[in-house]
Amino acid sequence: MSAQITNSVRHAVKSITICIVGLLYVPGTQAGLTDFSNNLYDYVAKKFGWEAPGRLKIMQTTVREMKTAGGPNFISNVQKSTNGNIEFPFIRKTNDFYNQVPYFSDLEHWGVDDYWATPVEFVASFGGDCEDYAIAKYMTLKELGIPVERLRITYVRAINIGETHMVLAYYPTPDADPWILDNLIPEIKPASQRKDLIPVYSFNDDDLWLPNGATRKGGATTVRLWRGVIEKMDKESRM
C-alpha cells in the first residue's frame, strides 16, 4: 500500500465518529421493519410532507412481496446456500429499490454534517447519502432472513470521487469475495472488481472489523451514529 493511500486510510479512520462506551444499548422488542402504524404514517406526513406515507407503503409492499416470493423455507435454504444463487435475486431487488432514492448530502438534506437515517426516514424523506442506502439495504436483507454474519456495512475510501463512502458487503461464505451493494453504480460487483474502493472498517449487528483485520466482538455498539439509528428505529416501532 502506498504512503498516499495509507495516509488516506489513516485520515478516514481518524475522521469517523466512534464513541467507545462502557454500556451496550439493548433495544426493546421491535416490530418488523415494515410493520408501520397509523401513528407513524401521521408522523412522517407532518415531518416530510403528504407524499411520505405513500412512499412507506411502496416500501412495505416491496418488502412483503419479497418475503412472499421467498417462501416458507427461504431462511433455511439461504443458510444452506454457499454460492449465493438463492438469495441473489432478493439482494439485487433490494439494491435496485433503494438506489431509486435521490442522493443528497447530509448538509443539503438534514442541515448537519453527518446524519445516519433510519430506513423510514430515508424513504419517507426521499433522500439521503451513502450511509442511508447501506443501512436501508442491510436492514431489509436482515428482515428477509439473510444471516447478519453475511452482511457488513463497510466504510471505504472511494478513490474516483476522492471521498469517504459507505457500501454494503455481502459474503456468501465467510472467506468469499464479497458482493458490493453501492449507490454509486447500479451493478452488484465482487469486491475484487471494485479497485476504486479502499476498505477502512466494517460492522454488522455483532462485530466490528478494523483496518488491521482485527475483529472486535460487539464492537458495532461503539459506533455512536449506528447506535443512534437503532434507537430511532426502536422509537419508530413504538409509535
Side-chain angles (χ1 to χ4, degrees):
M1 183 179 291
S2 69
Q4 183 179 0
I5 293 177
T6 300
N7 289 336
S8 295
V9 172
R10 286 174 179 169
H11 176 73
V13 173
K14 186 177 180 180
S15 66
I16 60 178
T17 309
I18 293 182
C19 176
I20 305 300
V21 293
L23 298 175
L24 303 184
Y25 172 75
V26 181
T29 302
Q30 295 187 12
L33 181 68
T34 59
D35 292 336
F36 303 135
S37 67
N38 289 333
N39 286 340
L40 180 63
Y41 285 131
D42 290 341
Y43 168 77
V44 298
K46 291 175 183 177
K47 187 168 184 179
F48 303 119
W50 65 271
E51 293 179 309
R55 296 179 188 128
L56 290 188
K57 289 177 182 178
I58 293 172
M59 174 185 171
Q60 183 183 68
T61 299
T62 300
V63 173
R64 289 181 174 178
E65 285 178 347
M66 286 194 286
K67 280 187 170 183
T68 300
N73 300 318
F74 177 72
I75 296 175
S76 60
N77 290 338
V78 169
Q79 289 173 337
K80 296 173 186 176
S81 171
T82 58
N83 57 18
N85 288 343
I86 292 174
E87 61 269 36
F88 184 75
F90 299 88
I91 292 172
R92 180 175 56 200
K93 186 168 184 177
T94 298
N95 191 60
D96 291 346
F97 176 76
Y98 289 111
N99 279 359
Q100 297 176 88
V101 178
Y103 175 90
F104 295 99
S105 70
D106 285 333
L107 197 58
E108 290 177 292
H109 199 56
W110 301 107
V112 295
D113 290 332
D114 202 6
Y115 185 86
W116 291 15
T118 68
V120 164
E121 292 175 316
F122 178 52
V123 173
S125 69
F126 204 51
D129 71 352
C130 58
E131 296 95 347
D132 307 323
Y133 293 95
I135 291 168
K137 294 169 188 178
Y138 174 89
M139 292 298 182
T140 297
L141 293 174
K142 177 182 169 183
E143 175 77 5
L144 295 178
I146 300 294
V148 293
E149 60 267 22
R150 299 188 184 187
L151 300 168
R152 297 187 192 180
I153 295 175
T154 305
Y155 196 82
V156 300
R157 182 75 180 172
I159 298 174
N160 291 346
I161 61 175
E163 296 178 0
T164 52
H165 182 54
M166 192 167 279
V167 298
L168 179 63
Y170 178 75
Y171 291 75
T173 61
D175 58 351
D177 186 11
W179 306 340
I180 303 300
L181 287 68
D182 191 356
N183 66 290
L184 292 179
I185 63 173
E187 301 88 1
I188 298 174
K189 294 184 177 182
S192 59
Q193 295 181 20
R194 295 299 307 272
K195 304 298 185 183
D196 57 312
L197 304 179
I198 301 174
V200 178
Y201 81 102
S202 60
F203 64 93
N204 59 21
D205 281 5
D206 301 324
D207 302 312
L208 185 145
W209 290 264
L210 300 173
N212 61 6
T215 303
R216 181 178 296 165
K217 200 70 178 174
T221 57
T222 67
V223 182
R224 179 179 59 82
L225 292 173
W226 174 247
R227 289 172 55 242
V229 168
I230 302 303
E231 291 168 0
K232 287 186 293 181
M233 289 182 66
D234 189 51
K235 290 179 181 177
E236 290 169 353
S237 72
R238 298 175 185 276
M239 287 185 181

